[in-house]
Amino acid sequence: MRIDKYLWCTRYFKTRSIASNAVKKGHVKVNGSAVKPSRDVFPMDKIVVRKNQIDYQLTVLDVPESRVAAKLVDIYRKDTTPKEAFEHSELLQHAKKHYRKKGLGRPTKKDRRDLDDFLDESE
């Protein structure tokens, strides 16, 4: 089975065209090397998929006939992604939410409320 079709069948991408574009851009590696969408996948291949700033590491256990239900995905692949990757992603999300350059406009309504709460506590 083609790598783009496999990633679509195992529900890593919503559509096959999105999976194909990700492979073309180099976000997918099989056994350590970048591949084309037409590359065939075989059992025991190691796949690394870069999606949402996380490198998902997969091991192909079996090749499905067609797109499988979400509950049955674990039959066809083993996810060996380290937990540190998800923790790093959470830290990035928190950093993006609370980052604003100094002097970049007036405070938002939430910033003002936080300042008011802080000043009320100190009194």
Side-chain angles (χ1 to χ4, degrees):
M1 177 180 282
R2 294 168 53 110
I3 183 69
D4 59 346
K5 189 173 180 181
Y6 177 81
L7 292 172
W8 170 74
C9 287
T10 55
R11 296 183 174 266
Y12 273 92
F13 293 101
K14 190 173 183 179
T15 64
R16 189 166 165 194
S17 63
I18 294 172
S20 180
N21 287 335
V23 175
K24 286 178 188 174
K25 290 179 182 176
H27 297 287
V28 177
K29 295 182 180 184
V30 178
N31 297 328
S33 61
V35 294
K36 293 181 180 180
S38 61
R39 161 76 153 74
D40 285 334
V41 176
F42 302 102
M44 302 312 295
D45 277 348
K46 306 268 189 231
I47 300 174
V48 177
V49 179
R50 177 115 177 127
K51 184 178 172 188
N52 298 331
Q53 296 184 343
I54 298 175
D55 288 331
Y56 294 96
Q57 298 175 2
L58 317 170
T59 303
V60 178
L61 299 177
D62 197 10
V63 179
E65 293 291 322
S66 62
R67 190 166 168 98
V68 295
K71 292 182 181 179
L72 303 176
V73 170
D74 290 333
I75 297 171
Y76 299 103
R77 58 104 175 126
K78 181 179 179 185
D79 193 355
T80 58
T81 306
K83 292 187 179 186
E84 293 85 25
F86 296 108
E87 293 169 359
H88 180 69
S89 175
E90 289 178 22
L91 287 174
L92 285 175
Q93 292 296 327
H94 289 297
K96 287 179 183 177
K97 289 180 184 176
H98 297 289
Y99 178 72
R100 188 178 69 193
K101 291 184 180 178
K102 186 175 181 182
L104 197 71
R106 57 188 239 193
T108 63
K109 188 182 274 189
K110 183 181 182 324
D111 291 338
R112 183 183 52 81
R113 288 180 180 155
D114 290 341
L115 284 170
D116 289 343
D117 290 341
F118 177 74
L119 292 174
D120 288 342
E121 288 177 3
S122 65
E123 291 177 0

